[in-house]
Amino acid sequence: ILALSFCICVAMIVLFLKAVNEHRPFSTKYTMQALCTVGVIFTLPVFSLMYFSGMVVPKSMSKVTYIAETYEAISLLFFLRLLLTYLGGKKETRETLTNTKVKLNS
């Protein structure tokens, strides 16, 4: 089972590097977009490495889970930042939302 887990970890890292390499030509202009995209894509390799190391050293599983869950929160922040970047940034999104009037059907 450890050999299978190790192969899955290596596959996640290879897929991560492939995804970053494919995305790089599209984000040369926008550094924040590239940073957030890499942060979100990096979630799978981090999780696979963390839980593989937890399988290898079972006593460290609580620490590994803590690190993995912390990175999950960070990757959610990366995703929200990426979403704001796609919407035009904080200022433009705030202006759009304040100038938009919503009618509620009651």
Side-chain angles (χ1 to χ4, degrees):
I1 228 167
L2 287 177
L4 178 65
S5 299
F6 180 74
C7 291
I8 291 173
C9 285
V10 170
M12 288 296 122
I13 293 171
V14 168
L15 288 175
F16 164 72
L17 293 174
K18 183 178 181 280
V20 168
N21 194 27
E22 287 178 359
H23 184 0
R24 189 177 33 180
F26 301 112
S27 62
T28 56
K29 200 173 173 184
Y30 307 104
T31 56
M32 182 56 69
Q33 180 183 356
L35 175 70
C36 292
T37 303
V38 168
V40 171
I41 292 174
F42 197 58
T43 304
L44 286 177
V46 166
F47 269 76
S48 64
L49 285 174
M50 289 292 118
Y51 287 115
F52 176 72
S53 64
M55 287 176 62
V56 172
V57 184
K59 289 183 179 180
S60 69
M61 193 60 184
S62 62
K63 295 174 188 165
V64 165
T65 303
Y66 176 75
I67 293 170
E69 296 299 323
T70 303
Y71 189 77
E72 183 181 7
I74 291 170
S75 68
L76 285 173
L77 288 174
F78 277 134
F79 175 73
L80 292 175
R81 182 65 186 204
L82 181 64
L83 186 64
L84 274 176
T85 303
Y86 282 145
L87 293 174
K90 293 178 185 176
K91 188 183 282 187
E92 189 173 323
T93 305
R94 186 182 316 128
E95 289 174 6
T96 303
L97 291 175
T98 55
N99 294 334
T100 303
K101 294 185 180 181
V102 178
K103 288 185 179 181
L104 298 175
N105 295 331
S106 13

